[in-house]
Amino acid sequence: MAVLSNIRQRSALMIAVIAFALFAFIIGDLFNSGGFSSTSKDVGSINGKDISFEDFRIKVSNVEKSGQGITSTAAANRVWDQEVSVALLTSEFEKLGLRVGEKHLMEVLKADENIGKNPMFLNAAGIFDVAKFKEYFKSNPAQAQYLVEREKDAELNAKFQIYNTMIKSSLFTTESEGKLKYEMEANKVNFAYVAGLYSTIKDSDVKVTDAEIMDYMKKNEKKFKADETREVEYVLIEDKASKEDESEVKSRINGLLSGSVVYNQTTGKNDTLSGFKTAKNTIDFVNSNSDVPYDSTYIAKKELPAIDADQLFNLAPGEVYGPYIFGNYYALSKSLGKKSGVNAKASHILISYEGAQVPNQKEKRNKEEAKAKAEAVLAQVQANPESFMMLAFSNSDDSSAQQGGDLGYFGPNQMVKPFNDFVFNNGIGKVGLVETPFGFHIIKITDKQDGIRLATIALKIEASEATSDKMFTQATKFEMESADKGFSKVAKEMGLKVEVPATVKVMDENFGPLGNQRSIVRWAFEGDTKVGTVKRFEVANVGHVIATVKNIDNSGLAPISQVRAYVEPILKNKKKAELIKAKMSGSSLEAIAKGVGSTVQQATDVTMQNPVLAGGVGQEPKVVGNAFALAAGKLSATIEGNTGVYVVKNVSTVKAAALKDHAPYVSQLKAQSAGDVNRVLPALKDNAEIKDNRKQFNY
C-alpha cells in the first residue's frame, strides 16, 4: 500500500506530451449543486467525437484538488486543451495503426522515479526488476485497476514517442535546398531604382474604415481567427475611506499616544489610563489596541516604510514615533531596541552530485568527486577572493551562477541549517565550505544588516459603515438609471468615470485591470445579456463595479480594436501605393523619379539572404527578388514593397562560383527545421472541427 501511496503522491509517471500531462483523473465536484444549466450533455466535440460533460467534470475536479492552487476556470481551460490535444493525437495514432509492445510500455512506466527507482521494485543490484513489479500488483489485486489506468496513459505516451520519432524522421533537407541557400547568400545583384516612399504621404490623407479592416480580416480568416468576445464598459465606485473616516482614525490613534482620564462607574471615580508612551507593558498595550498584532521580528532599515525609515530606525529604546501612514494604516511605533546581523547577504558556489537535491547539475559526478572539486574551488577562492564571481559563473550548479553566486539578503532559518549556521555564526568576508542535501557550498559572507524591534499600533484606514452605505446607494442609483437613460449619460451626470472597455472571451478569468473577476465575464456571456444590459457587482476589497455590454462579437474574428494597429498601416499603405503608382509613369528611371519627386538611387552587391536597401530603407525582399529576375538593362513594373513603391533596373547580376558540396548549408537548414515537429499539433488544431460548449455550463 505504501508503494501505491507514494506513486499517487507524485504521479510523475508520464513523459510530457507537448507540455501537458495525459492523466486519468479522480472523480470530484467542480460545479455548485445543480451545477449547470445546459441543454447539452457534452462539453464539446473534436472532429465529431463528443466529450462527455461528466467525464470532463471529473477531470477538472481532480486538477482543482491537485494542490496547485488553481481556480475552477483555469482547471477547466487546462483540461479542455488536454482533451483537444489527446483527441487529435489519438486520431492520428489510429490512422497510422500505431501499436505499443510490452517492453516499450514498461520503459515509459519506469520513467517515473516513483516506479523506476522504488526500492520495492529493485533487485539486489539496485536495478528495476520487471518481475518484482508485476508480482507486486499480482499479489495486490485491489490495486490492479490503478495499474490498468496508468498503463493506458503510458500507452498513449509511448505512441506519442513513436509518432514524434516518425515526424522527426520525415523532416529532411535536400541538396537542392542547400544549393539554394548558398546561392541566396552568395549571388549578388546591382541595380538602380526609384522609390516612392509611403512616408511621403500623410497618414491623415488616407482613411481606413472599420468595414475595410473587417473585409481584410475575412480575406485572411485563418490569420485573424478568434473566439467570440464581449466588450464591456464599466464604472468603478471604490469602497474606500472618506476624508472624514481618515480624520476619525487619526484622532483615535492620537488618543492612544498619551494618557487619558475616564470615569469608572464601579468606583465612581476618574481613572487615569496610561498611553502608548508610558504603558508599562508595551506588548499588551499593542495587542489590546492595534488592528495588527505585535510582531517581535527585528526589521532591517530597508524593510521599513521608505518615507519614515530614517526616523524609525534611529529611535532610541522606548522612544515613540508617529502617527505616520503605512499603506492603509495609521501607525505609532515604539523602539524596543536594536540587534546586529539580523539579515545576511552571501554568495555561494554549489557543487552538486548524483542523488543530491538539486535539479540542474552541469556534469555527472559522485559525492566524492563533488567534494574534491569543491575543495579545489575553495582553494582558488582563498588564494584570490576577487575570483569568486567568475568561479561561480563557471562552476556553480545553482541558478544563482548567473548572478555570480549572489543570493541577496536573507533572514535566519531561511536557508538549510548548515548553510544558515555558517552565515549567521561568522563575520562579513568569511569564506568556507559546508555540505547540505543540495551538495557542497563554497560560501562567502558579503554583508550583514542590523535590525530594530518595533512595537507598532496600526489602525486601519477604511470606509465607515456610513461611507459604505453612501457608496452602495450611489452604485444602486447608477445601475437603475443607466439602464434607462444610458450608461455614459448617467456617468457624466453623476461625475463618474467610464473606464476603458475590457474585451473578454468566454473562458477568461481576468477582467481588465481588476484582475480575476470571473463572475463579470460569465455574466457577459449569459443568454439574456444583450448590448446595453447593465449589472452591478460587489467586488471584495475593491468596491462596486457597474458594467454594461458595449459590443458582442460572434464573427469568429479578432476584435477590430485589437487588430487595428496591425491592419490599418497595411491598408493605408495599399491606398498610398495607388496614389504613388499614378505618378510613376515614364520609360526611364529619371522620368519616373521626376514624377514622384525622387532621385535615382543605386544598390550594390545585394543578396536575397539579406535584401536590405541602404539609407535606412530596410528589408525589401520583393524589390531585390524582382531585380534578380530582370535581365541586365531591363526595367521592372511598379513593385509594392514594405516601405514604398519601387521601379528597378538591373545593372548586373553576379553569380557565385559553383560548389561541389553544399553540406554545410544543408546542415544549417536542418538545424533551423529541428523544431518543426512542434508545429504538428497547432496544425492539427487549425484543421480540426472543434465545438466548444463550455459556456453552456455554469463554471
Side-chain angles (χ1 to χ4, degrees):
M1 190 64 189
V3 175
L4 183 58
S5 175
N6 193 28
I7 293 172
R8 283 175 171 158
Q9 280 176 6
R10 290 186 53 198
S11 199
L13 180 63
M14 310 316 304
I15 294 174
V17 176
I18 312 186
F20 58 83
L22 301 174
F23 286 97
F25 296 100
I26 302 169
I27 294 179
D29 246 347
L30 167 64
F31 302 99
N32 297 328
S33 181
F36 61 95
S37 53
S38 170
T39 56
S40 171
K41 293 181 180 179
D42 301 315
V43 78
S45 65
I46 296 97
N47 288 332
K49 182 180 179 181
D50 295 330
I51 299 174
S52 159
F53 166 71
E54 185 61 22
D55 289 343
F56 187 80
R57 182 185 67 82
I58 290 168
K59 294 177 181 180
V60 171
S61 178
N62 185 73
V63 172
E64 280 190 281
K65 295 174 182 177
S66 64
Q68 301 175 38
I70 192 168
T71 64
S72 298
T73 305
N77 289 339
R78 180 186 294 184
V79 174
W80 174 256
D81 288 342
Q82 171 191 294
E83 290 296 300
V84 171
S85 299
V86 170
L88 293 173
L89 288 169
T90 301
S91 176
E92 294 300 300
F93 301 162
E94 290 172 355
K95 289 177 187 176
L96 294 168
L98 297 186
R99 298 290 181 269
V100 177
E102 183 182 357
K103 287 185 178 180
H104 192 171
L105 195 63
M106 191 57 64
E107 288 302 314
V108 175
L109 289 169
K110 283 164 56 180
D112 176 13
E113 290 188 0
N114 292 300
I115 291 177
K117 293 187 177 181
N118 195 304
M120 291 290 292
F121 306 141
L122 303 181
N123 60 24
I127 298 172
F128 182 80
D129 190 324
V130 175
K132 292 184 74 172
F133 176 77
K134 290 182 177 180
E135 180 58 34
Y136 173 82
F137 285 98
K138 184 178 179 181
S139 59
N140 292 273
Q143 297 175 23
Q145 184 58 38
Y146 176 81
L147 178 61
V148 170
E149 294 301 319
R150 298 284 67 77
E151 285 179 336
K152 288 179 183 177
D153 297 333
E155 181 181 359
L156 192 56
N157 279 271
K159 286 180 179 179
F160 178 77
Q161 290 179 14
I162 298 170
Y163 181 68
N164 204 40
T165 301
M166 291 172 67
I167 292 171
K168 285 182 177 179
S169 299
S170 69
L171 297 173
F172 61 92
T173 304
T174 65
E175 174 73 12
S176 295
E177 289 173 301
K179 180 183 178 184
L180 177 61
K181 179 170 177 58
Y182 164 67
E183 290 176 347
M184 288 181 70
E185 290 183 10
N187 289 350
K188 297 176 181 178
V189 65
N190 303 300
F191 60 93
Y193 68 92
V194 172
L197 299 178
Y198 300 136
S199 58
T200 59
I201 300 176
K202 294 180 180 178
D203 279 355
S204 57
D205 292 342
V206 286
K207 304 295 182 184
V208 174
T209 65
D210 286 357
E212 288 172 322
I213 293 176
M214 179 59 71
D215 184 57
Y216 180 86
M217 287 197 291
K218 287 179 178 177
K219 289 177 180 176
N220 299 272
E221 191 171 345
K222 271 197 172 182
K223 202 173 194 178
F224 298 99
K225 188 178 178 181
D227 297 328
E228 60 179 301
T229 60
R230 302 289 185 269
E231 194 175 9
V232 183
E233 283 185 323
Y234 66 98
V235 162
L236 172 61
I237 299 176
E238 292 185 81
D239 188 10
K240 62 181 181 180
S242 65
K243 289 183 179 179
E244 293 76 15
D245 296 332
E246 189 172 330
S247 295
E248 192 275 331
V249 176
K250 187 175 182 180
S251 176
R252 282 170 51 209
I253 202 162
N254 274 321
L256 294 171
L257 193 55
S258 302
S260 60
V261 177
V262 297
Y263 178 73
N264 189 323
Q265 290 183 339
T266 304
T267 64
K269 297 179 181 180
N270 289 331
D271 290 340
T272 301
L273 301 180
S274 297
F276 190 43
K277 285 183 177 179
T278 57
K280 292 181 180 179
N281 191 322
T282 299
I283 296 172
D284 283 350
F285 192 93
V286 169
N287 287 332
S288 298
N289 294 282
S290 177
D291 291 336
V292 179
Y294 170 74
D295 183 355
S296 63
T297 305
Y298 282 92
I299 305 170
K301 184 178 178 180
K302 71 180 185 66
E303 295 168 353
L304 293 170
I307 295 174
D308 304 284
D310 286 335
Q311 294 92 326
L312 287 167
F313 194 75
N314 293 319
L315 287 174
E319 188 179 358
V320 174
Y321 175 76
Y324 62 95
I325 292 180
F326 179 34
N328 294 324
Y329 292 87
Y330 261 116
L332 291 171
S333 293
K334 179 188 286 188
S335 171
L336 299 185
K338 290 183 180 178
K339 183 179 179 181
S340 61
V342 296
N343 283 343
K345 186 179 184 184
S347 296
H348 81 140
I349 301 169
L350 173 64
I351 309 298
S352 64
Y353 51 86
E354 290 188 60
Q357 295 178 19
V358 62
N360 55 338
Q361 290 177 223
K362 290 183 177 179
E363 59 185 76
K364 297 291 183 182
R365 62 177 82 94
N366 59 35
K367 186 173 182 177
E368 290 71 25
E369 290 169 334
K371 184 178 182 181
K373 179 170 182 176
E375 289 172 343
V377 173
L378 174 63
Q380 289 179 272
V381 172
Q382 290 172 330
N384 180 13
E386 299 302 318
S387 67
F388 194 98
M389 179 180 288
M390 290 308 299
L391 288 170
F393 277 134
S394 56
N395 292 280
S396 183
D397 288 322
D398 187 54
S399 58
S400 65
Q402 298 304 311
Q403 290 78 48
D406 185 10
L407 296 170
Y409 286 97
F410 51 89
N413 303 316
Q414 285 184 247
M415 300 295 183
V416 288
K417 192 174 187 309
F419 197 108
N420 176 85
D421 292 350
F422 177 86
V423 171
F424 285 96
N425 292 334
N426 289 287
I428 297 172
K430 180 71 173 178
V431 175
L433 177 65
V434 301
E435 180 185 355
T436 76
F438 295 94
F440 294 93
H441 306 256
I442 298 94
I443 304 172
K444 181 180 181 181
I445 304 169
T446 54
D447 194 17
K448 289 195 174 182
Q449 295 176 327
D450 295 342
I452 187 169
R453 178 182 281 172
L454 295 171
T456 298
I457 296 173
L459 299 183
K460 191 169 186 181
I461 304 169
E462 57 187 349
S464 63
E465 188 174 339
T467 300
S468 293
D469 288 346
K470 184 179 177 181
M471 292 174 180
F472 173 78
T473 301
Q474 185 185 27
T476 304
K477 180 183 178 183
F478 181 83
E479 178 187 19
M480 294 173 65
E481 291 189 3
S482 62
D484 297 325
K485 295 168 64 176
F487 201 80
S488 298
K489 183 180 179 181
V490 176
K492 187 175 181 180
E493 289 175 356
M494 295 179 67
L496 297 170
K497 179 186 176 184
V498 178
E499 303 292 344
V500 176
T503 300
V504 293
K505 294 182 287 188
V506 67
M507 291 304 294
D508 281 351
E509 290 185 295
N510 287 339
F511 180 76
L514 298 182
N516 191 334
Q517 301 298 335
R518 178 62 188 155
S519 60
I520 300 177
V521 177
R522 189 189 300 122
W523 161 79
F525 285 88
E526 288 176 355
D528 56 351
T529 301
K530 312 296 181 186
V531 171
T533 302
V534 178
K535 186 170 181 178
R536 178 181 59 84
F537 298 86
E538 287 189 31
V539 180
N541 302 317
V542 175
H544 300 269
V545 175
I546 306 94
T548 184
V549 176
K550 184 180 181 182
N551 183 51
I552 293 176
D553 188 348
N554 296 327
S555 67
L557 298 172
I560 290 176
S561 60
Q562 288 184 9
V563 303
R564 179 180 296 280
Y566 171 74
V567 175
E568 191 173 53
I570 295 173
L571 297 181
K572 282 193 172 186
N573 285 347
K574 284 278 184 186
K575 293 187 175 186
K576 289 179 181 182
E578 295 307 314
L579 296 175
I580 294 169
K581 283 180 184 179
K583 300 176 184 178
M584 290 184 121
S585 58
S587 57
S588 69
L589 288 179
E590 289 73 18
I592 294 169
K594 186 177 180 180
V596 292
S598 182
T599 59
V600 178
Q601 300 183 63
Q602 302 294 325
T604 306
D605 291 341
V606 184
T607 68
M608 278 304 300
Q609 183 68 25
N610 188 31
V612 176
L613 299 185
V617 174
Q619 292 221 352
E620 287 292 359
K622 287 173 69 175
V623 176
V624 176
N626 271 273
F628 268 108
L630 292 170
K634 293 294 182 180
L635 208 64
S636 74
T638 54
I639 307 160
E640 290 184 33
N642 295 330
T643 56
V645 179
Y646 295 80
V647 175
V648 304
K649 181 180 181 181
N650 181 299
V651 175
S652 64
T653 301
V654 182
K655 292 192 175 183
L659 293 181
K660 292 182 179 179
D661 182 13
H662 300 94
Y665 298 92
V666 172
S667 296
Q668 289 179 41
L669 290 172
K670 280 183 178 179
Q672 292 171 11
S673 64
D676 285 354
V677 65
N678 297 325
R679 297 165 58 188
V680 173
L681 189 56
L684 291 174
K685 289 181 179 179
D686 283 344
N687 293 319
E689 183 182 342
I690 299 173
K691 292 182 180 178
D692 186 352
N693 300 329
R694 283 179 293 166
K695 73 174 183 179
Q696 296 180 16
F697 298 86
N698 186 25
Y699 287 95

